[in-house]
Amino acid sequence: MRQKYLISRNYQGKELKIVEYAVLDKDLKKVASEQLRNDNFSLLCKETYKSENIVNSISRGKEALVETLRTHNIFPISPYAIKIAEAVKELYSLSEDGTAELFFDDVDLVSN
């Protein structure tokens, strides 16, 4: 499966949002990842977190942050969860709003 995560930190609003998308159309299976358009992705889930919870989790380490980011709705596999946590940590090193976009393709897991 090919998935995309849009992560945004609202510094003033004191929250973090993660939006998960995936390519669900089987006709796009043979389309190269770099040729996919935004409208090829379907919304799977949105989660909003309070910044104070994220900051607290960052201070307790990567595993705590991954645990906080995983919810009933968003529960990425471990390699993806770690990369998402790293992106969140990087956003929280900024003193302003920030965004990150992460793309994952399960084929990459098999070929590594």
Side-chain angles (χ1 to χ4, degrees):
M1 182 184 296
R2 293 183 279 185
Q3 296 168 276
K4 178 169 58 171
Y5 291 85
L6 299 179
I7 307 165
S8 59
R9 178 184 180 206
N10 181 329
Y11 185 75
Q12 297 293 1
K14 299 181 181 175
E15 64 183 18
L16 175 80
K17 289 185 183 181
I18 299 178
V19 184
E20 180 182 17
Y21 298 90
V23 176
L24 302 177
D25 186 343
K26 295 197 185 303
D27 293 336
L28 296 172
K29 200 169 196 163
K30 295 188 180 192
V31 173
S33 293
E34 56 274 357
Q35 293 180 340
L36 292 171
R37 300 182 320 263
N38 282 338
D39 64 341
N40 296 138
F41 289 86
S42 298
L43 173 66
L44 296 181
C45 172
K46 292 181 189 179
E47 277 295 343
T48 302
Y49 308 83
K50 292 181 181 179
S51 280
E52 69 182 67
N53 294 342
I54 298 299
V55 170
N56 183 287
S57 295
I58 289 171
S59 71
R60 294 183 327 200
K62 189 183 335 182
E63 289 178 17
L65 180 56
V66 167
E67 185 178 314
T68 298
L69 295 174
R70 282 180 161 167
T71 68
H72 179 70
N73 295 319
I74 292 183
F75 199 91
I77 61 173
S78 192
Y80 299 171
I82 291 168
K83 292 201 182 281
I84 292 167
E86 289 169 352
V88 167
K89 188 174 177 183
E90 190 171 313
L91 288 175
Y92 274 81
S93 70
L94 306 173
S95 60
E96 59 190 20
D97 291 352
T99 62
E101 180 176 308
L102 301 176
F103 176 81
F104 301 114
D105 187 343
D106 290 349
V107 171
D108 295 337
L109 291 175
V110 175
S111 64
N112 286 335

